[in-house]
Amino acid sequence: MLQDQESPAAGPSPKDDSSLNKWGVVNLLSVSLLFFMISILVIVQKYFVFSLAWIHGDPRKVVYPTDSYGQFCGQHGTPNANKAILFYFNILHCANPAVLINLQCPTTLLCVSKCPDRFATYLDMQYQYRYNKSYWEYYRQFCKPGFDNPRKSIAQVLQDEDCPSMIVPSRPFLQRCFPEFITRNGTLTVANRTDFKDGLGKTRSVTDLREAANGIVGLLDAKEVGIKIFEDYASSWYWILLGLVITMLVSLAFILLLRFTAGVLLWLVIFGVIAAVGYGIWHCYWEFSILKEKPDADITISNIGFQTDFRVYLQLSQTWFIFMISLAVTEVIIIVVLIFLRRRVRIAIALLKEGSKAIGYIMSTLFYPIITFLLLAICIAYWAVTAVFLASSGDAVYKVMSTDPKCQYSNITCDPETFNKTNVTKVCPGAQCTFAFYGGESIYHRYIFILQLCNLLVFLWLVNFTIALGQCTLAGAFASYYWALQKPADIPACPLFSSFGRAVRYHTGSLAFGALILSIVQFFRIILEYLDHKLKGAHNAFARFLLCCLKCCFWCLEHFIRFMNRNAYIMIAIYGKNFCTSAREAFFLLMRNVVRVAVLDKVTDFLLFLGKLLISGSMGVLAFFVFTHKIPVIQEEVPSLNYYWLPLLTVIFGSYLVAHGFFNVYAMCVDTLFLCFLVDLERNDGSAARPYFMSSTLRGILNKRNVRKREDKRGYRVRKKK
């Protein structure tokens, strides 16, 4: 491997280092210092945001439900430690499940240890209490703690919010008590009843509960389905794991065999497309010749105008004539392009084969995505913890909740300790001071949204930096393979580990800078998506059009920057220069070989897509036969499943992801070898001083030769072509 001992690179040292004058060095140092200061500020901001979130945040507000008094249900070390479920005094006041889940239902919320299992009213309890004290013992667990006066009038009880007027059979869902709906013979029931007493002298239908808890039935049914799905995964997880292991082995074999099959697969597809288009031309001519003899088929398309039934056009000879001409033009274009680009296609195939050889020599690169996955998991965990702490910051805020839509005090902040002393209950009968959410009016609480945006930006930066580190590491390893003159003898030991060390030690700033540029663009895209979501109901056509244009522009910009960053990281791994210089050199290098870039990119994308489709499809077929007991040898070993299609889809999707991870490494290998190949062509001439490092296959395609020196019998040095 050619490597400048003073340059942290995997490739040959550049020739034009002397062109950097002292002012260029000063400017480069100034830019580096500026970016170093920006990085320090971002790191300080990251820890500042996390510190604020840690000080003010409380994840218990997310984990535990909260009652009307701002107390957590089920929290250890509190009076509610054994009361982990939230109970609604009057669920009929709740309009929809969103109100229930957001804890803003205009009724008293109480922490209980279990949900009611029977119908009962406060009036019935008072009547039965005269004969059996146990009725009150059961009913009181759904009343306020400390309330022990079963003889208190119902009007006074409801006014003081001591007990609910009724209870209905419920079961916990999302740590909240919801009515236990059951459909029997097409009739909705609760505990085998279709009506109930509301405790206020009225008989209500179960459908009233259904309307109050609209959508909960579907959620409860989904819970039952979820249990069955969990059982399927619990009994079939080792079969799924076995399928993913087989996928890993098949992906590895596919990559290693590409050195023999890449050319065959590509040429088969190319000639298959040519044959298919040729058959299309023949078929169109056959249809045209048949319809030409019919008297009514010579009508032109313009004569019949637009028809909603497109089959009408197929009865015209002119339609098939147009199809035939279009396919003929397409066939000619494909053949002409193939004739002129045949050498570039051969180069692309040779690079694909060379990539397979490189991975065969550096097998450890196939497992580097595991490191990237672990680092990404850490980044996601950091972002999620910080976001939860920020979201849970603040104190309990209480709002006036009233069932009367005309109440002037609705949604006004209140104090539960002094609420009964105000005139709100007189103006709005039935109004309650209920816990609404966590928040505050301090400067910190006003800027929580801004802190969440900062947390998001840092998260994007960390993710893109992790990906950049992986790309630069792989590029350095594969570049060390390419620049080894005698392969595999000159390949350095532990090329992946050495490349990772160079990337971390020398190129962290360049990788962080490239990741920051991409993160800023992604950040603006997320903001545009947020604005688009907020403006969905807007009727301003110009604003919608402008937003759509901005989204399109930023989408294109993100993909362009992603492409340039990838190639810049490869140049960093080759030469060890900074990000801006590497990006500029990569851009002009690709522009000088734009046709080769396009051909290689499309050929690589096609073969890798074909491989992913082939592997995931094959594993899907195999999993189908396994889970449907179609293989007699293992029929007794495979468990019976409730939904066999779910493990089947898991195997297919997991196989695609595994193949995608392996093929991403292969794509990075091909891109690195391609840039090294272009640099090799421009910098070297095949002489003994500057030999070509490309393989003999590539030299044969380009008619290039290496010349080496040797001594003849008389001691003179002569030149010999290789």
Side-chain angles (χ1 to χ4, degrees):
M1 180 183 67
L2 291 182
Q3 178 179 341
D4 187 357
Q5 298 298 324
E6 299 178 357
S7 175
S13 58
K15 299 183 299 182
D16 53 351
D17 286 344
S18 58
S19 62
L20 291 176
N21 53 33
K22 62 179 181 179
W23 297 111
V25 173
V26 171
N27 291 334
L28 181 60
L29 290 176
S30 301
V31 173
S32 301
L33 180 61
L34 177 61
F35 182 70
F36 175 75
M37 295 176 63
I38 294 175
S39 302
I40 294 298
L41 290 177
V42 171
I43 294 174
V44 171
Q45 176 264 345
K46 178 182 70 173
Y47 286 105
F48 175 73
V49 171
F50 184 78
S51 300
L52 285 178
W54 182 268
I55 294 172
H56 296 279
D58 190 353
R60 297 176 303 173
K61 300 170 184 176
V62 179
V63 176
Y64 302 106
T66 310
D67 62 11
S68 296
Y69 314 104
Q71 299 175 347
F72 301 120
C73 298
Q75 181 188 356
H76 297 288
T78 65
N80 291 330
N82 298 322
K83 301 177 179 180
I85 307 172
L86 195 66
F87 171 72
Y88 297 87
F89 265 34
N90 193 342
I91 199 171
L92 294 174
H93 291 168
C94 304
N96 54 62
V99 174
L100 295 177
I101 295 172
N102 290 331
L103 303 178
Q104 294 184 8
C105 183
T107 188
T108 302
L109 311 177
L110 188 70
C111 296
V112 296
S113 58
K114 63 178 181 179
C115 296
D117 58 5
R118 68 193 72 168
F119 280 107
T121 64
Y122 187 80
L123 291 175
D124 292 340
M125 182 277 302
Q126 284 186 321
Y127 177 77
Q128 297 293 339
Y129 176 72
R130 303 174 187 175
Y131 310 102
N132 191 343
K133 307 296 183 182
S134 63
Y135 279 90
W136 167 243
E137 294 301 325
Y138 178 80
Y139 202 90
R140 68 182 297 182
Q141 61 184 326
F142 304 108
C143 299
K144 285 183 179 179
F147 178 73
D148 191 13
N149 186 8
R151 302 183 184 277
K152 190 174 182 179
S153 66
I154 180 64
Q156 194 65 33
V157 166
L158 296 180
Q159 180 179 353
D160 296 339
E161 304 173 17
D162 294 323
C163 290
S165 63
M166 64 169 182
I167 56 176
V168 298
S170 307
R171 57 178 170 177
F173 182 73
L174 299 176
Q175 292 184 276
R176 292 159 178 82
C177 291
F178 290 123
E180 189 173 5
F181 296 108
I182 299 177
T183 303
R184 298 185 182 277
N185 298 325
T187 303
L188 186 67
T189 63
V190 174
N192 295 326
R193 294 176 57 174
T194 58
D195 54 23
F196 62 96
K197 296 179 181 180
D198 65 355
L200 301 176
K202 296 181 181 180
T203 300
R204 308 291 291 267
S205 173
V206 172
T207 55
D208 295 335
L209 288 175
R210 173 68 176 267
E211 294 174 358
N214 184 30
I216 297 301
V217 177
L219 292 176
L220 295 176
D221 293 340
K223 182 181 179 182
E224 296 180 359
V225 174
I227 294 175
K228 294 182 179 179
I229 291 174
F230 178 78
E231 292 174 353
D232 289 344
Y233 276 121
S235 59
S236 64
W237 65 269
Y238 47 90
W239 291 98
I240 296 175
L241 184 61
L242 179 61
L244 298 181
V245 172
I246 295 175
T247 301
M248 182 179 67
L249 298 177
V250 173
S251 300
L252 176 60
F254 184 88
I255 291 175
L256 296 179
L257 290 176
L258 275 178
R259 71 179 72 178
F260 309 109
T261 60
V264 176
L265 287 176
L266 185 61
W267 288 116
L268 280 178
V269 171
I270 291 175
F271 288 118
V273 171
I274 294 175
V277 175
Y279 171 77
I281 295 173
W282 175 83
H283 182 77
C284 292
Y285 175 76
W286 181 70
E287 293 283 354
F288 170 74
S289 61
I290 293 177
L291 292 174
K292 190 176 181 181
E293 298 177 357
K294 294 183 179 181
D296 297 332
D298 57 350
I299 303 175
T300 61
I301 297 177
S302 59
N303 291 335
I304 64 173
F306 177 75
Q307 299 292 328
T308 55
D309 188 2
F310 290 98
R311 290 176 297 180
V312 175
Y313 298 106
L314 299 180
Q315 306 300 322
L316 303 179
S317 60
Q318 187 183 43
T319 303
W320 292 102
F321 182 76
I322 294 174
F323 286 164
M324 181 180 65
I325 296 300
S326 301
L327 290 176
V329 172
T330 304
E331 183 87 333
V332 171
I333 292 175
I334 293 175
I335 294 175
V336 170
V337 170
L338 189 61
I339 291 174
F340 283 97
L341 297 181
R342 64 187 186 279
R343 175 179 289 186
R344 290 177 174 83
V345 173
R346 293 175 61 196
I347 292 174
I349 294 174
L351 285 171
L352 290 172
K353 294 180 178 180
E354 197 67 21
S356 178
K357 292 181 182 179
I359 290 180
Y361 288 125
I362 315 176
M363 294 285 289
S364 58
T365 55
L366 290 174
F367 301 97
Y368 185 83
I370 298 176
I371 299 177
T372 301
F373 174 79
L374 295 177
L375 293 176
L376 289 177
I378 295 174
C379 296
I380 294 173
Y382 164 78
W383 168 79
V385 169
T386 306
V388 168
F389 271 89
L390 285 174
S392 59
S393 300
D395 301 322
V397 177
Y398 299 86
K399 297 283 186 179
V400 176
M401 298 291 180
S402 175
T403 56
D404 184 5
K406 298 181 180 180
C407 179
Q408 59 181 340
Y409 295 102
S410 294
N411 294 324
I412 294 180
T413 305
C414 58
D415 186 354
E417 297 181 358
T418 61
F419 180 72
N420 292 330
K421 300 178 182 179
T422 62
N423 64 339
V424 176
T425 55
K426 298 178 181 179
V427 178
C428 303
Q432 300 177 1
C433 184
T434 306
F435 167 80
F437 55 86
Y438 292 100
E441 300 297 333
S442 65
I443 297 178
Y444 167 75
H445 295 103
R446 293 176 185 174
Y447 289 97
I448 284 182
F449 182 72
I450 303 298
L451 295 176
Q452 288 281 23
L453 292 180
C454 295
N455 184 38
L456 175 63
L457 179 60
V458 173
F459 167 70
L460 294 174
W461 194 359
L462 291 176
V463 168
N464 288 315
F465 174 78
T466 302
I467 296 174
L469 178 62
Q471 292 176 343
C472 188
T473 299
L474 293 174
F478 294 127
S480 64
Y481 164 84
Y482 185 92
W483 298 113
L485 187 59
Q486 300 294 331
K487 302 177 179 63
D490 292 342
I491 300 177
C494 303
L496 182 66
F497 180 78
S498 301
S499 178
F500 181 80
R502 287 194 301 269
V504 172
R505 182 178 180 183
Y506 297 107
H507 309 319
T508 304
S510 297
L511 301 180
F513 183 60
L516 176 62
I517 297 175
L518 182 59
S519 302
I520 292 174
V521 176
Q522 292 174 337
F523 182 73
F524 280 109
R525 281 199 65 198
I526 293 175
I527 293 178
L528 290 175
E529 291 291 342
Y530 174 78
L531 294 177
D532 183 52
H533 177 73
K534 289 297 183 181
L535 294 176
K536 280 189 179 298
H539 300 287
N540 191 332
F542 177 75
R544 300 275 298 173
F545 171 76
L546 181 61
L547 190 61
C548 183
C549 293
L550 289 175
K551 288 172 59 178
C552 179
C553 292
F554 273 92
W555 182 89
C556 297
L557 181 61
E558 179 187 353
H559 282 72
F560 174 75
I561 292 178
R562 194 187 298 273
F563 172 78
M564 288 307 305
N565 280 6
R566 182 184 180 94
N567 290 280
Y569 299 148
I570 295 174
M571 297 300 288
I572 290 173
I574 296 175
Y575 284 130
K577 295 183 179 180
N578 62 66
F579 176 81
C580 295
T581 303
S582 300
R584 184 185 69 248
E585 292 182 355
F587 177 77
F588 287 112
L589 180 64
L590 295 175
M591 288 300 101
R592 290 193 296 269
N593 301 272
V594 63
V595 179
R596 287 174 175 168
V597 173
V599 172
L600 178 71
D601 186 58
K602 296 307 175 185
V603 169
T604 305
D605 289 346
F606 171 74
L607 285 181
L608 295 186
F609 173 75
L610 187 64
K612 295 174 189 176
L613 195 63
L614 179 64
I615 292 173
S616 58
S618 301
M619 293 307 303
V621 172
L622 179 61
F624 173 79
F625 283 109
V626 170
F627 292 129
T628 55
H629 303 85
K630 297 294 179 63
I631 303 178
V633 179
I634 58 174
Q635 187 174 2
E636 300 296 332
E637 303 294 333
V638 179
S640 298
L641 304 175
N642 298 300
Y643 308 105
Y644 75 87
W645 52 267
L646 198 62
L648 174 63
L649 292 178
T650 304
V651 170
I652 294 175
F653 184 68
S655 299
Y656 184 86
L657 292 181
V658 171
H660 181 72
F662 275 85
F663 290 166
N664 268 352
V665 175
Y666 181 69
M668 194 68 196
C669 176
V670 174
D671 289 345
T672 303
L673 297 181
F674 179 60
L675 283 185
C676 292
F677 166 73
L678 297 180
V679 172
D680 194 11
L681 278 179
E682 293 188 355
R683 294 180 58 84
N684 300 319
D685 56 8
S687 62
R690 291 188 299 176
Y692 291 116
F693 288 82
M694 66 186 73
S695 64
S696 57
T697 304
L698 287 171
R699 292 200 303 267
I701 295 173
L702 298 173
N703 294 322
K704 302 291 185 180
R705 296 290 185 272
N706 271 344
V707 177
R708 64 182 182 182
K709 295 181 180 180
R710 66 176 180 85
E711 293 184 0
D712 62 4
K713 296 181 180 180
R714 296 174 294 176
Y716 294 100
R717 303 186 67 86
V718 298
R719 302 172 67 88
K720 179 182 179 181
K721 289 187 177 181
K722 180 182 179 182

